[in-house]
Amino acid sequence: MNQAAPFEVSPLTPSLGAEIMNVGLWNMDSFFGEIYRSFLRYKIIVIRDMPMSHDQLCEFSARFGELMELPYIKPVEAYPKIIAVQKEVDETGMGVFGGDWHSDFSFLAAPPKASILYSHQIPPLGGDTLWVNMESAYGALPVKQKNWLEGKYVIHTGAPYGVANAPDIETQFQGSMTITRNNPQADRETRHPAVCCHPETGNLALFINPTYTTRFSDMSKAESEPILRELLSHCTRPEFSCRFRWTPNTLVIWDNRSTMHYAVNDYDGYRRLMYRTTISGEPPLPATS
Ligand SMILES: [Fe+2]
């Protein structure tokens, strides 16, 4: 790396995501303010070619806020704030962790602010991650629909980890990750605003996702289903998305409050090993607070 090279941001798509160049652990103190502003602006930031130990990953992650331990997923030995997101060569014909659109742990009373994923080993092709910008998706809705949604609350549950809403066994990802299933606690319902106000930027975003959002709080599942389906179809339009192809030793930091993401499960027969930290958040704020 050229030590004299300036801080540089290269957007990934018009909607969201940016790669940050010419930064490393050696100059992080000087540039972290700009990195954080880029995180708020672009929602996903990418830093390539930054090999990191577990200690360095924890230290870097803590710049964004307090690291949290995750429910239902066993952490890395001796590092309670890191999980390994892992799929092995022989784990074929099965689901993958994060393999549907979601915002991380949105069923918690205080969902994470941000997640950080670091690529250790990736397949030669495949294993991309997609994100969508939930602020752009919200902004593109007709005014009437925005007004209706701004007064609504939705119910989130830890469906993939619970009993009542647990996925079929053949679509569950277990594999080499230790994930606790059939936990009655995960069925507990949490109520969040359907449209949330970002606590740092004040921007409004839809806060629903098909993995954890089950219904509107004042409607049945059956009544909610067609509305949620239509909204999710709108949110995942390519115009609001970014598809990211990993290279080894890459860090991606995303804002969990204004995006959804999706892990593409298209690399059977190859190993993929990532390390993930998660930053604590606050209870989501309604649009009209
Ligand atoms: Fe995720």
Side-chain angles (χ1 to χ4, degrees), residues 163-174:
V163 180
N165 298 300
D168 296 336
I169 191 77
E170 59 270 16
T171 62
Q172 291 182 5
F173 177 69
Q174 282 285 2

Side-chain angles (χ1 to χ4, degrees), residues 97-98 102 104 254 261 276:
F97 182 67
H102 65 285
D104 287 330
W254 66 90
H261 57 283
R276 171 58 203 272

Side-chain angles (χ1 to χ4, degrees), residues 85 97-105 115 117 129 131 161 212 254 256 261-263 276:
V85 177
F97 182 67
D100 196 359
W101 287 106
H102 65 285
S103 166
D104 287 330
F105 297 96
S115 299
L117 196 55
T129 306
W131 284 266
Y161 312 107
Y212 301 125
W254 66 90
N256 197 51
H261 57 283
Y262 182 113
R276 171 58 203 272

Side-chain angles (χ1 to χ4, degrees), residues 165-186:
N165 298 300
D168 296 336
I169 191 77
E170 59 270 16
T171 62
Q172 291 182 5
F173 177 69
Q174 282 285 2
S176 47
M177 293 177 69
T178 304
I179 300 174
T180 307
R181 305 282 184 188
N182 301 317
N183 183 333
Q185 288 290 319

